[in-house]
Amino acid sequence: MAEPASVAAESLAGSRARAARTVLGQVVLPGEELLLPEQEDAEGPGGAVERPLSLNARACSRVRVVCGPGLRRCGDRLLVTKCGRLRHKEPGSGSGGGVYWVDSQQKRYVPVKGDHVIGIVTAKSGDIFKVDVGGSEPASLSYLSFEGATKRNRPNVQVGDLIYGQFVVANKDMEPEMVCIDSCGRANGMGVIGQDGLLFKVTLGLIRKLLAPDCEIIQEVGKLYPLEIVFGMNGRIWVKAKTIQQTLILANILEACEHMTSDQRKQIFSRLAES
Amino acid sequence: MEEETHTDAKIRAENGTGSSPRGPGRSLRHFACEQNLLSRPDGSASFLQGDTSVLAGVYGPAEVKVSKEIFNKATLEVILRPKIGLPGVAEKSRERLIRNTCEAVVLGTLHPRTSITVVPQVVSDAGSLLACCLNAACMALVDAGVPMRALFCGVACALDSDGTLVLDPTSKQEKEARAVLTFALDSVERKLLMSSTKGLYSDTELQQYLAAAQAASRHVFRFYRESLQRRYSKS
């Protein structure tokens, strides 16, 4: 039967690896394999190309490419594990092939070392607070990890308080640990978040968009009302304005930002500025 | 955000011309898929095949009970909810099939001691239910951002009394068939991940049906790709 043979040929053709450079900016699906730049020559028309062995001490031509979220190393290729757009960032200086990653839309947060997040204190056991950060496990926060905290001078943290901190330990095998001081021992904006205000949840993609260097949304929101805002990389935003009504308006705008185009957003802002 | 993609996924047998939408038995029914429709789960998708419709939600990687945790990989749970009544033994057996398929594809080692829960809810059943559940589960896992090593799809086929193969059978065709087979295939090399069969068929017939299912899965994967490209093109 001719069909199985032709089916086999097509299926193999579909799964041939593509060069990462040609796929930049396009949507990639889990299961696709990507070739890194220096391998493209080897994978050329002939398939297995014979190279003359060089006997002089030439520097290795391999570049170091960093494999970001959504990609896994599979032999000497990259395997895509999440659906999204493939992005690449050139290295700032020096050697290296830059970073490749997949820009995917997700709601669930997975703790990553160095991320600043907003957590809610859920329990106080001995010297450690258990903080819910939206991941699979609550993170632990020691009472000494606040600015100016000593054994005699304990920080004033109650169950239910909001904490803005960063992860110092976050990997798949251990319980995540967070602190509210930076490496110099200063708070730098971290710690217990004050009274009032509103905490709400958005997708992780929106947070990254809002925290990008020239985000118009934040500039426009700042012109509307004076406000205090805290972004957590775990998808949580805390916002506080002078009155409750203004706070709710800001929360609704930020939640709706994800689905609006920039024109619709400008319309809404101009309408609010008038009223 | 709702993203709807409708595609007419049809394949024709070499010699059939068939003017009606369901030609000489080798065409798949009309597909539709919608992602991110539920606000609570981390990922959700609704998959329609003709009149069969399944809505799947995925929660994870989330907390897991200490009794169920596995030290080096994620605990995958599937809870299949029938349209009416309480879940029974048939649902339990389908849950196991879906779970085995998902476990082969999800990279559980990246999230040890967590749980990933897939909850397919049957909205309407008009044949090929297991295949539709598998497709909805795959789309929901992609929507939730669970790391996977490949995509998978479900293809059902029925063999009627005169030996002709019908892909994506309706409930009437399933009842009158002498064998009903459901295959789960992965997207990288169209390998077989799971098969669930009922009825009477021979060895060679099994190979033929598997080949036909592999050919049909091309269309399903192309539909997945179009649907996901459409979703990301809006952002």
Side-chain angles (χ1 to χ4, degrees):
Chain A
M1 206 164 139
E3 223 188 50
S6 58
V7 162
E10 248 220 48
S11 62
L12 282 175
S15 62
R16 193 185 297 138
R18 298 185 279 174
R21 261 200 327 238
T22 57
V23 192
L24 280 182
Q26 293 177 29
V27 174
V28 287
L29 300 181
E32 287 185 14
E33 286 193 341
L34 301 171
L35 293 170
L36 292 169
E38 80 271 2
Q39 291 161 341
E40 288 158 42
D41 312 321
E43 292 284 336
V49 172
E50 284 178 359
R51 293 206 153 156
L53 262 180
S54 94
L55 293 173
N56 48 346
R58 199 179 54 171
C60 182
S61 58
R62 199 182 289 246
V63 286
R64 208 181 112 209
V65 164
V66 178
C67 198
L71 295 169
R72 298 273 297 164
R73 216 164 259 284
C74 162
D76 51 359
R77 298 175 177 187
L78 296 178
L79 172 71
V80 178
T81 57
K82 291 192 191 180
C83 174
R85 287 194 183 275
L86 186 67
R87 305 274 187 219
H88 175 61
K89 183 176 160 199
E90 292 294 330
S93 59
S95 64
V99 191
Y100 284 94
W101 77 94
V102 177
D103 208 354
S104 63
Q105 295 170 351
Q106 264 177 257
K107 289 192 207 171
R108 191 88 198 179
Y109 178 68
V110 172
V112 169
K113 184 174 166 178
D115 263 2
H116 292 256
V117 294
I118 299 180
I120 306 173
V121 179
T122 52
K124 206 164 152 178
S125 61
D127 295 337
I128 295 191
F129 302 112
K130 286 281 178 225
V131 180
D132 163 45
V133 291
S136 61
E137 277 185 290
S140 73
L141 170 65
S142 162
Y143 77 98
L144 289 170
S145 324
F146 289 86
E147 185 174 10
T150 60
K151 288 193 183 154
R152 299 242 183 111
N153 178 20
R154 287 170 180 251
N156 182 17
V157 177
Q158 307 303 325
V159 171
D161 280 352
L162 294 177
I163 302 269
Y164 182 63
Q166 64 176 343
F167 286 114
V168 287
V169 171
N171 55 47
K172 62 184 169 89
D173 298 310
M174 295 168 61
E175 178 193 48
E177 292 176 25
M178 60 188 283
V179 292
C180 291
I181 48 174
D182 60 11
S183 46
C184 304
R186 288 190 296 254
N188 211 7
M190 295 188 273
V192 180
I193 296 179
Q195 293 287 327
D196 305 327
L198 180 67
L199 178 75
F200 57 97
K201 204 162 170 347
V202 294
T203 58
L204 307 186
L206 179 64
I207 296 274
R208 291 197 296 262
K209 190 163 116 183
L210 292 170
L211 285 174
D214 300 313
C215 184
E216 305 172 331
I217 306 174
I218 295 304
Q219 290 164 2
E220 288 170 17
V221 163
K223 287 183 208 149
L224 258 187
Y225 310 122
L227 79 160
E228 267 182 77
I229 195 163
V230 179
F231 295 106
M233 295 296 289
N234 52 346
R236 294 179 180 168
I237 302 181
W238 178 86
V239 77
K240 179 176 169 186
K242 282 211 184 107
T243 66
I244 295 180
Q245 197 189 24
Q246 288 179 358
T247 309
L248 288 171
I249 291 174
L250 290 167
N252 285 332
I253 292 176
L254 288 169
E255 274 174 338
C257 263
E258 189 152 21
H259 312 309
M260 288 195 289
T261 59
S262 49
D263 298 322
Q264 288 169 324
R265 212 176 51 230
K266 289 194 170 74
Q267 273 178 18
I268 293 189
F269 277 120
S270 52
R271 249 193 294 150
L272 279 170
E274 285 163 24
S275 66
Chain B
M1 179 168 158
E2 292 181 6
E3 200 39 70
E4 202 166 315
T5 311
H6 290 270
T7 299
D8 255 321
K10 292 186 199 297
I11 55 169
R12 302 257 166 227
E14 293 101 322
N15 47 3
T17 44
S19 53
S20 64
R22 291 279 276 165
R26 287 201 165 220
S27 58
L28 301 170
R29 292 180 284 181
H30 174 94
F31 286 160
C33 171
E34 211 175 317
Q35 288 199 308
N36 205 10
L37 6 95
L38 302 173
S39 57
R40 283 282 198 100
D42 302 322
S44 55
S46 157
F47 203 88
L48 281 88
Q49 278 179 225
D51 286 328
T52 307
S53 164
V54 174
L55 174 62
V58 168
Y59 298 85
E63 272 193 39
V64 66
K65 270 195 258 190
V66 183
S67 57
K68 287 191 196 165
E69 77 176 8
I70 304 178
F71 74 96
N72 62 342
K73 57 183 189 156
T75 308
L76 211 119
E77 275 182 332
V78 177
I79 303 173
L80 179 60
R81 299 237 162 260
K83 183 174 167 194
I84 42 176
L86 291 172
V89 177
E91 277 72 41
K92 271 277 173 289
S93 116
R94 289 202 183 109
E95 282 172 15
R96 186 175 57 82
L97 295 170
I98 300 174
R99 191 180 67 237
N100 287 345
T101 314
C102 295
E103 271 178 0
V105 153
V106 163
L107 289 169
T109 49
L110 291 180
H111 300 288
R113 301 181 336 273
T114 63
S115 82
I116 300 175
T117 310
V118 182
V119 187
Q121 164 74 56
V122 178
V123 172
S124 70
D125 181 6
S128 319
L129 183 64
L130 183 57
C132 198
C133 289
L134 285 166
N135 293 333
C138 180
M139 286 272 101
L141 283 166
V142 165
D143 187 42
V146 173
M148 299 203 280
R149 65 169 61 88
L151 297 175
F152 61 92
C153 81
V155 180
C157 45
L159 190 60
D160 63 9
S161 39
D162 34 315
T164 38
L165 176 67
V166 177
L167 284 172
D168 204 13
T170 59
S171 357
K172 186 161 171 295
Q173 285 166 334
E174 276 182 357
K175 267 195 213 126
E176 293 165 1
R178 86 167 140 93
V180 178
L181 304 95
T182 305
F183 299 111
L185 302 162
D186 91 341
S187 65
V188 178
E189 282 171 25
R190 313 279 181 277
K191 281 199 189 140
L192 184 64
L193 295 172
M194 183 276 296
S195 84
S196 163
T197 64
K198 182 174 81 163
L200 198 62
Y201 53 88
S202 74
D203 233 353
T204 43
E205 283 174 339
L206 176 64
Q207 297 300 324
Q208 287 171 11
Y209 307 148
L210 186 51
Q214 284 174 329
S217 68
R218 265 188 292 139
H219 298 269
V220 185
F221 288 129
R222 193 170 57 211
F223 173 70
Y224 281 1
R225 181 176 284 276
E226 285 165 8
S227 164
L228 288 166
Q229 277 174 344
R230 198 117 173 244
R231 180 170 179 220
Y232 279 91
S233 72
K234 294 228 167 156
S235 57

